[in-house]
């Protein structure tokens, strides 16, 4: 059974940073694209960043220049470095393939508040 386990969330002040990590049982080297999604209260889940097996990346406009996605196929991990966090970034963050073929894990809560 495929498992996706996210970690690294927390409560930070605006302007702060967090680094999220996703451990997976998937052989992500064989997956074309992996991504980080987020689900904020009252909103639909959105894809905020993705990275192909070749390292090319895409970001939603609201996080460009602030977030950086990376992957380590040997370690089967996908990370999201989040800088200059804003209250609007508050959400539960999940990793999955793109498109999301697998069941989402429990996610990791990111709260940005002063």
């Amino acid at each position: 059974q495929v498992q996706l386990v996210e970690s690294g969330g927390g409560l930070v002040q605006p302007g702060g940073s967090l680094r999220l990590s996703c451990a997976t049982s998937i052989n992500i080297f064989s997956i074309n694209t992996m991504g980080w999604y987020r689900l904020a209260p009252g909103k639909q889940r959105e894809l905020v960043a993705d990275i192909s097996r070749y390292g090319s990346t895409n970001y939603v406009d609201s996080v460009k220049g602030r977030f950086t996605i990376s992957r380590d196929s040997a370690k089967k991990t996908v990370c999201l470095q989040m800088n200059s966090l804003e209250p609007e970034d508050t959400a539960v963050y999940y990793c999955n393939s793109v498109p999301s073929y697998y069941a989402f894990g429990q996610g990791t809560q990111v709260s940005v508040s002063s």
Side-chain angles (χ1 to χ4, degrees), residues 47-92:
L47 176 65
V48 296
D50 63 65
I51 183 166
S52 77
R53 61 186 294 182
Y54 305 109
S56 61
T57 58
N58 292 289
Y59 300 91
V60 68
D61 286 346
S62 61
V63 308
K64 283 182 180 177
R66 301 188 297 120
F67 290 11
T68 303
I69 189 171
S70 61
R71 66 191 289 166
D72 186 330
S73 297
K75 296 181 179 180
K76 298 182 182 178
T77 59
V78 181
C79 295
L80 186 68
Q81 178 67 43
M82 306 187 297
N83 299 326
S84 302
L85 283 162
E86 303 170 353
E88 293 73 22
D89 297 318
T90 294
V92 180

Side-chain angles (χ1 to χ4, degrees), residues 78-112:
V78 181
C79 295
L80 186 68
Q81 178 67 43
M82 306 187 297
N83 299 326
S84 302
L85 283 162
E86 303 170 353
E88 293 73 22
D89 297 318
T90 294
V92 180
Y93 285 71
Y94 305 85
C95 69
N96 209 321
S97 61
V98 180
S100 55
Y101 292 122
Y102 307 97
F104 283 93
Q106 293 191 338
T108 186
Q109 175 71 49
V110 171
S111 299
V112 185

